[in-house]
Amino acid sequence: MNQRTINNLVRGAILLFLASSSVYTLSETEQAVLTVFGKPAGDAVNTPGLHFKLPFIQVVNRFDKRWLEFDGDPNQIPTRDKKYLWIETYARWRISDPLRFYQAVQDERGAQSRLDDIVDGETRNAVASFDVIELVRSSNREFEATEELSGVEEGSEVDAKVVTGRAKIAEVILAKAAAITPQFGVELVDVRFKRINYVETVQAKVFERMISERKRIAEKSRSEGAGRAAEIRGQKERDLLAASSEGYKKAQLLKGAADARATSIFARAYERDADFYAFLKSLETLEKTIDDKSVLVLSTESELLKYLKGAGGK
Amino acid sequence: MAEYGRQDPLDPLWDAVADLGKRVRGAGSGGGSGAGVNLSRIRNYVIGALVLLFLFTGFYQVAADEVAVVQRFGRYVRTAGPGPHFRVPFGIERITRVPDKRQLKMEFGFETVSSGTQSEFRTTDESKKESLMLTGDLNVAVVEWIVQYRIKDPYKYLFHLRSVSETFRDMTESTMREVVGDHSVDEVLTIGREAIALQAREELQKLCDLYENGIEIQQLVLQDVNPPDEVKPAFNEVNQAIQEKERAINEALADYNSAVPQAKGQAEQQVRAAEGYALERVNVAEGDGKRFEAVYEEYRKAPQVTRRRLYLETLARVLEKSGSKIIVDQQAKGILPLLQLDSLAKEKK
């Protein structure tokens, strides 16, 4: 009884062991190459789930099926116009042919080092054959500018037309690198510029340029302000003189018309007897001009005093 | 770099069970030394343990904001929504939970240390590298932004890319730099902010679709966007200069406004005065004219008498008014020089 149970247990254990070494599972993210003593046996397996194999003899070499990461070596690279840029790229790749992959590079580390050579090399080639502006911009769109900030002349570098542009340059790198990678069972799916910056020394110069550019904008703004203010002050002078002279003109016209009217009224009235008018006017004037300070010297011959000498006079 | 989609917590248990199996096998080869114990009791224990395991590993719960992706022997079989569920136990079906309804966020160029009413942020060397970028006019700007996204397709999210989060960061940085690289520094800093965020969002969504990472971008928002510290003072100077410009213009306008309306008023005053003068002049003329005519009418009836009367009346009024009178006989000659006309005049004062 005891012996039999133990036998059963041992038998069961052996069976379990055999079974467990003749099945394997593949996740959604995995693919595998079976090898016998290091030699690949059959095609690659890339359907997920439960699979069978020969126990002990066949070894499962698992590979990832997903897109895998790759970071380019951050490096300073001279552009065609001799500017040093700090370039960081990233790429994504996948093991498209596990069999070849296994034979050519063994594992991911092997692939990464091959990719280093290929992607970094192609990046350097591409960067070196374009100007800075091509690497920074993607299109020739016109910049929008506010009134305050516009009108600052820009360097020829910036005005240069973009023929290829950043995205296309990345595509060039991808196309060239992707042509090589199938050799070791890898499909390069994307290469992109992650970061493009100036190297330290260039950056200092760029900052200087930015500062001088800003100073120029500031100066322009200030002088625009002064100019506008002067213009307004000039307008003020003009409007002041216009207003006062306009007033004077209107006043004179009004006065002139009134004077003319008065003259004609007077003339019409007095022409009836000019002599009498003169007489009345002289009397009026006489009355107005004599005041308490006046000294009158009267002759006894005068009309008023002629009776002083005797009634009836001469 | 937290990948969303965590393995089932029970999974390590399976590894432990497998381990135990190995040890049993090891013990088997060592010979049955403990053969004397009560086997049926052990069997009961084993069956009891198996039943418990069956229950523990068969049922699982999915929270409201997540789904569970179920894999049988590694193969994807289904996605389970929130609520209690059953799966094939003993590790045959394994689940990965993915928070597909939660809005997730990534920060670029800064890190939130603690969030609350007054959130704390900090920038590290790495985040500084993230935020420094070239603009289309070959200037440099420091751009900080956030991306809010959702896992739209858990299957793709889990199975299409390894290190999805890291890839997503790379994609976002690359996209943002590409968009900023096509805008001028002034656009990046001021007028183009919204357009840039919008364009970056669209491009990033396109890239996500290309990469099939199952992510849906909900928002991309530019946070602090600054010129680099070294050139900040110069940028501030521009703002200052713009203020100065406005001030100069405003002062001149104030000047204008304080003078011109007054001058216009004064001109108007001149005109009104002239109108007054004109009225007066005409009225006086008419009045005088009428008066003359009236007097003339009477005068015409007896010209000589009236003339004399008028003369004498006037003279009378004049004499009454005047200060000194000197009456000189016609025959008396040469007396004028004797008169102290000055003193006479002074006396009156």
Side-chain angles (χ1 to χ4, degrees):
Chain A
M1 164 78 170
N2 265 359
Q3 188 59 44
R4 235 174 74 192
T5 316
I6 289 166
N7 280 348
N8 280 344
L9 272 176
V10 170
R11 236 174 265 143
I14 289 170
L15 257 169
L16 202 77
F17 184 50
L18 272 176
S20 74
S21 80
S22 61
V23 295
Y24 64 97
T25 62
L26 279 184
S27 161
E28 284 287 336
T29 63
E30 286 174 323
Q31 49 192 346
V33 172
L34 298 180
T35 52
V36 179
F37 302 123
K39 271 192 184 154
D43 289 339
V45 185
N46 50 22
T47 47
L50 199 61
H51 295 276
F52 297 96
K53 68 180 181 76
L54 295 177
F56 311 122
I57 306 162
Q58 287 189 329
V59 177
V60 183
N61 299 276
R62 291 161 194 275
F63 299 103
D64 213 303
K65 212 162 72 176
R66 294 173 288 186
W67 289 20
L68 306 176
E69 57 276 26
F70 170 83
D71 281 317
D73 178 33
N75 204 354
Q76 41 177 300
I77 305 172
T79 59
R80 193 174 64 176
D81 47 353
K82 306 284 178 294
K83 299 263 163 51
Y84 274 87
L85 287 182
W86 187 261
I87 307 262
E88 283 184 57
T89 53
Y90 82 83
R92 287 297 176 270
W93 56 285
R94 64 184 198 88
I95 302 164
S96 56
D97 185 346
L99 210 58
R100 184 173 283 183
F101 183 84
Y102 176 71
Q103 287 167 326
V105 292
Q106 295 291 318
D107 53 13
E108 278 182 36
R109 204 187 308 158
Q112 290 279 5
S113 97
R114 292 291 297 273
L115 283 171
D116 276 340
D117 299 341
I118 295 163
V119 175
D120 289 347
E122 289 302 337
T123 304
R124 213 165 290 128
N125 288 345
V127 170
S129 51
F130 289 101
D131 290 345
V132 173
I133 193 75
E134 296 271 355
L135 285 153
V136 173
R137 299 208 56 184
S138 304
S139 73
N140 279 313
R141 68 175 281 276
E142 294 272 322
F143 297 139
E144 276 177 57
T146 56
E147 198 207 325
E148 276 93 4
L149 301 170
S150 67
V152 177
E153 70 273 33
E154 282 155 351
S156 54
E157 253 186 322
V158 178
D159 289 337
K161 280 274 164 274
V162 178
V163 181
T164 313
R166 180 194 288 231
K168 291 260 169 58
I169 294 174
E171 278 171 28
V172 169
I173 299 172
L174 172 64
K176 289 199 170 159
I180 305 170
T181 55
Q183 287 172 5
F184 51 98
V186 164
E187 184 200 354
L188 196 65
V189 285
D190 201 16
V191 177
R192 255 157 224 275
F193 291 108
K194 187 171 153 194
R195 293 173 191 165
I196 296 180
N197 277 318
Y198 292 117
V199 298
E200 292 282 323
T201 48
V202 179
Q203 183 148 300
K205 289 228 178 64
V206 169
F207 286 172
E208 271 169 37
R209 195 200 68 217
M210 284 176 83
I211 289 169
S212 66
E213 202 173 275
R214 289 298 124 178
K215 292 230 164 36
R216 218 160 57 200
I217 297 175
E219 259 340 295
K220 177 177 152 259
S221 177
R222 279 198 205 97
S223 95
E224 265 176 11
R228 232 355 236 128
E231 192 188 316
I232 292 167
R233 295 224 157 81
Q235 183 71 29
K236 182 190 96 178
E237 291 302 318
R238 183 200 162 276
D239 288 358
L240 280 183
L241 290 177
S244 64
S245 61
E246 190 85 356
Y248 178 78
K249 187 178 89 182
K250 275 190 191 156
Q252 289 304 93
L253 282 175
L254 282 166
K255 282 180 183 169
D259 283 345
R261 179 105 189 280
T263 305
S264 91
I265 291 168
F266 279 135
R268 234 183 307 124
Y270 301 149
E271 77 191 346
R272 292 174 166 211
D273 190 333
D275 183 49
F276 181 59
Y277 172 66
F279 171 71
L280 275 183
K281 210 66 195 166
S282 1
L283 284 185
E284 224 173 82
T285 311
L286 189 67
E287 201 171 342
K288 269 187 201 147
T289 46
I290 305 292
D291 61 7
D292 59 348
K293 270 171 260 153
S294 315
V295 178
L296 287 181
V297 179
L298 300 163
S299 165
T300 46
E301 289 296 301
S302 71
E303 190 81 10
L304 181 71
L305 297 174
K306 62 184 179 189
Y307 301 106
L308 223 60
K309 286 186 155 183
K314 272 190 191 163
Chain B
M1 201 72 57
E3 298 280 339
Y4 294 97
R6 70 200 144 80
Q7 282 287 318
D8 185 57
L10 282 176
D11 283 350
L13 194 67
W14 294 118
D15 302 331
V17 169
D19 223 37
L20 199 71
K22 273 182 205 149
R23 247 182 267 151
V24 167
R25 288 200 291 272
S29 61
S33 54
V37 291
N38 189 344
L39 277 174
S40 70
R41 205 156 160 206
I42 291 176
R43 197 179 297 140
N44 285 344
Y45 278 132
V46 168
I47 288 167
L50 284 177
V51 169
L52 270 179
L53 263 178
F54 178 88
L55 293 175
F56 269 121
T57 63
F59 288 103
Y60 64 98
Q61 179 89 22
V62 178
D65 62 348
E66 56 186 26
V67 292
V69 174
V70 185
Q71 284 167 273
R72 184 185 303 147
F73 289 126
R75 175 194 281 275
Y76 168 82
V77 280
R78 65 180 180 275
T79 304
H85 293 281
F86 184 76
R87 60 172 162 171
V88 181
F90 304 124
I92 291 166
E93 284 187 350
R94 294 189 177 192
I95 59 167
T96 312
R97 296 165 198 273
V98 179
D100 70 329
K101 285 165 207 76
R102 214 179 299 161
Q103 190 180 58
L104 308 167
K105 187 174 112 174
M106 261 190 205
E107 294 164 339
F108 295 84
F110 68 103
E111 280 171 23
T112 306
V113 181
S114 68
S115 52
T117 43
Q118 187 138 37
S119 296
E120 271 182 61
F121 306 104
R122 66 166 180 195
T123 53
T124 60
D125 279 352
E126 179 56 26
S127 61
K128 269 185 192 146
K129 278 188 200 157
E130 278 175 0
S131 57
L132 195 72
M133 53 185 80
L134 290 186
T135 59
D137 48 359
L138 298 183
N139 287 320
V140 180
V142 178
V143 182
E144 294 175 3
W145 75 99
I146 59 151
V147 178
Q148 287 173 335
Y149 62 99
R150 197 176 71 83
I151 300 167
K152 189 180 63 179
D153 187 334
Y155 178 84
K156 283 181 181 164
Y157 182 81
L158 286 180
F159 303 130
H160 199 256
L161 282 114
R162 190 165 73 187
S163 51
V164 200
S165 294
E166 197 194 309
T167 306
F168 187 57
R169 280 198 89 85
D170 286 350
M171 290 156 68
T172 310
E173 266 199 64
S174 171
T175 306
M176 185 51 100
R177 281 202 162 67
E178 199 173 303
V179 174
V180 166
D182 224 14
H183 287 80
S184 72
V185 70
D186 292 320
E187 287 176 314
V188 175
L189 290 175
T190 52
I191 46 173
R193 284 177 57 117
E194 271 176 50
I196 288 170
L198 210 69
Q199 195 189 338
R201 189 194 133 164
E202 276 171 23
E203 300 280 330
L204 186 57
Q205 185 62 62
K206 268 188 228 163
L207 201 58
C208 285
D209 296 344
L210 181 76
Y211 279 37
E212 294 184 62
N213 61 2
I215 286 176
E216 180 187 64
I217 314 294
Q218 296 185 309
Q219 289 260 53
L220 190 152
V221 186
L222 293 193
Q223 305 286 310
D224 273 357
V225 181
N226 284 309
D229 286 342
E230 289 86 340
V231 299
K232 241 184 209 166
F235 273 82
N236 288 338
E237 202 188 315
V238 171
N239 288 337
Q240 228 170 15
I242 291 171
Q243 297 299 317
E244 274 171 43
K245 173 183 164 183
E246 309 262 292
R247 208 189 59 212
I249 292 172
N250 283 339
E251 277 175 5
L253 279 175
D255 238 28
Y256 179 95
N257 287 338
S258 76
V260 172
Q262 191 189 355
K264 282 189 178 153
Q266 278 167 350
E268 196 60 24
Q269 180 188 15
Q270 227 175 351
V271 173
R272 296 265 174 264
E275 279 169 4
Y277 168 87
L279 277 174
E280 187 204 22
R281 194 88 174 86
V282 172
N283 285 339
V284 165
E286 277 175 352
D288 283 1
K290 288 275 182 288
R291 181 180 164 202
F292 174 77
E293 275 169 27
V295 173
Y296 177 72
E297 281 306 312
E298 291 312 307
Y299 163 78
R300 217 172 39 171
K301 289 172 188 161
Q304 284 305 313
V305 176
T306 313
R307 218 177 155 99
R308 178 153 295 176
R309 181 180 57 81
L310 285 173
Y311 171 69
L312 289 174
E313 274 172 11
T314 308
L315 214 55
R317 279 199 301 276
V318 167
L319 282 175
E320 201 181 333
K321 221 166 51 171
S322 77
S324 318
K325 296 116 190 156
I326 299 159
I327 302 165
V328 184
D329 190 82
Q330 209 182 12
Q331 270 80 37
K333 290 212 168 95
I335 59 154
L336 262 176
L338 298 175
L339 295 170
Q340 301 277 311
L341 288 172
D342 273 4
S343 64
L344 276 170
K346 268 177 203 153
E347 240 172 67
K348 284 309 300 181
K349 279 190 179 171

